[in-house]
Amino acid sequence: QVEHLMATLGKLRKLEDLNLESNILKPVGFELAASLKLLINLRFLNLKGNYFFGKSCESIGKNLNAMRSLKKLNLASNNWGGDSIYSNRYLHILGNSLAKLVNLSSFDIRFNLIGFTGINETNLLAHGLTQKAQLTELLFFPQTNKLIQYDFSSYKLLYDAYNHPNSLKIMSFGALADFLQKLNLNTLTTLDLASRFNAPSPALASLLLVHIEDHHGWPALKTLILSNNNLAFSSQVFSLIANIFPLVPNLENLDLTANQIGLADETSTLDLALNLPFLTNLKTLNLSDNWMGSSSSIGTIRLAEAIGKLTQLEELYLNDNNFGFFNTDGSSALFAALSNLKKLKVLHLGDNNFGISGHGAISTLGNSFASMQQLRYLNLSYNYIGLSYIGPYEPHNTFFSGLKHLIHLQV
């Protein structure tokens, strides 16, 4: 019955949007492939999480080339790659089809097995994306994941480290450099590299920076996700990453969650503070879970000043940084800087122990709220607010009064 169902899809000749996500269609890959060849008007195709493997990948990849109207293609969480005998052929066929999809703007092939047997697999796929004028979103990493049925990167990273300690993470960054060399940086707008590298080497980080410099910057990039990569394990690596910021002047979303920036020497925090102000169009900044409060006072003060210069920010995530426990001066500077962010709609300051420092920093935050007329979401949870002391001459009764449009408050 399932075979018949997949075969009849080909009769829907006017179909433009087809979502078959998470249906375990591996046994009927051939029937589906035959139907796909007939759906020439499709613009959106989602085949994520169907465990396609081997010949099914070959058939589907081959018949995709008929969909010249396709704009968005999701092949994530399947089994492309990983077959030491045949995967090169399957990926070569898929690459050839991608080259013919002239309208493709978004391609997602995360959580597959590409790169499992060698970087050459990446090259075979990359040739199909070379100089694609319409491509604006490429989601490629994490590229290798045996636990395909579990779509979460944290366990995947541990799994990789346990089973392949000397290959996958190094290989993935090298593959990234090769991948970028074949892409048109003038149009690519999103780069998602979350949970991929576990402290990349300076040489590999330098490859990425030099490639962007060779293209005279990356003006099209709007979203850069580098979370959970331990980038500050080496201050030299983080410095190279931070020096990318002046080359992406139109960046709107930056995620640096969980990179241990504050636990490194103050050089990483200072490099971040030096380069953040170049991102004048930034709307969302996520620096959560970086232990920023562990950095030196001068480091956190400079970082606070840099954040205060990002006047286009609408969302700011600074939770889980322990500012208050270690660094009262940094907390005060941060609260003062927040008063410049008049467009801010979301502010997450949870889990920072601000109240432990007692009298001082927390009252400055109340003063900054008066400038945040657009704020809708505020999280101040787990900050021991009750331990802070606001003296009788301080405007404690106006602490929240400036937040006229607040919808969500968590303390």
Side-chain angles (χ1 to χ4, degrees), residues 121-375:
E121 291 185 346
T122 308
N123 297 339
L124 291 170
L125 181 61
H127 84 274
L129 299 172
T130 302
Q131 302 298 317
K132 291 193 72 62
Q134 303 301 321
L135 191 66
T136 59
E137 182 178 62
L138 172 65
L139 301 175
F140 185 71
F141 297 100
Q143 69 188 56
T144 308
N145 186 2
K146 277 192 172 182
L147 298 175
I148 294 177
Q149 64 269 36
Y150 301 111
D151 192 358
F152 42 72
S153 57
S154 58
Y155 283 107
K156 193 214 76 60
L157 188 64
L158 295 175
Y159 185 88
D160 283 352
Y162 180 77
N163 288 279
H164 305 280
N166 298 315
S167 59
L168 294 182
K169 286 183 281 295
I170 298 298
M171 182 187 299
S172 66
F173 206 105
L176 166 66
D178 181 76
F179 222 71
L180 287 176
Q181 289 172 10
K182 293 178 170 63
L183 292 173
N184 187 348
L185 299 190
N186 293 323
T187 57
L188 193 66
T189 64
T190 300
L191 184 61
D192 184 347
L193 300 175
S195 305
R196 196 50 253 161
F197 305 124
N198 191 22
S201 72
L204 293 175
S206 180
L207 282 174
L208 178 58
L209 175 60
V210 169
H211 180 65
I212 298 174
E213 288 178 334
D214 288 346
H215 282 75
H216 307 291
W218 195 343
L221 191 66
K222 297 293 183 65
T223 298
L224 178 60
I225 303 173
L226 295 170
S227 55
N228 295 290
N229 281 306
N230 198 13
L231 294 176
F233 181 81
S234 163
S235 59
Q236 183 181 0
V237 169
F238 191 79
S239 178
L240 291 166
I241 296 297
N243 277 283
I244 291 175
F245 299 163
L247 303 173
V248 288
N250 296 314
L251 196 71
E252 296 181 356
N253 307 292
L254 174 61
D255 189 347
L256 289 170
T257 303
N259 278 296
Q260 301 189 30
I261 299 171
L263 290 179
D265 60 61
E266 70 174 9
T267 303
S268 294
T269 305
L270 291 173
D271 280 331
L272 178 61
L274 179 65
N275 289 285
L276 267 181
F278 287 99
L279 302 176
T280 55
N281 293 298
L282 202 64
K283 294 182 179 180
T284 301
L285 175 61
N286 195 333
L287 294 175
S288 59
D289 197 15
N290 273 295
W291 286 79
M292 292 298 190
S294 299
S295 185
S296 65
S297 292
I298 188 63
T300 51
I301 290 173
R302 293 289 180 268
L303 176 61
E305 293 171 346
I307 291 174
K309 296 176 181 177
L310 302 175
T311 56
Q312 300 303 309
L313 272 184
E314 297 180 2
E315 298 184 22
L316 177 60
Y317 301 87
L318 294 174
N319 47 293
D320 299 282
N321 275 298
N322 227 0
F323 279 109
F325 194 83
F326 295 106
N327 206 317
T328 303
D329 292 337
S331 299
S332 298
L334 174 63
F335 295 151
L338 290 176
S339 64
N340 296 326
L341 308 182
K342 303 183 186 304
K343 295 184 178 182
L344 209 60
K345 296 179 181 179
V346 175
L347 177 59
H348 199 324
L349 296 173
D351 292 275
N352 275 299
N353 297 310
F354 288 126
I356 287 181
S357 61
H359 177 267
I362 198 68
S363 62
T364 313
L365 177 59
N367 297 334
S368 297
F369 284 154
S371 302
M372 300 181 188
Q373 297 297 311
Q374 302 299 318
L375 200 65

Side-chain angles (χ1 to χ4, degrees), residues 1-10 12 20 25 31-32 35:
Q1 292 180 349
V2 179
E3 291 89 341
H4 177 70
L5 176 64
M6 292 299 103
T8 56
L9 282 176
L12 306 176
L20 295 173
L25 296 176
E31 289 79 6
L32 174 61
S35 291

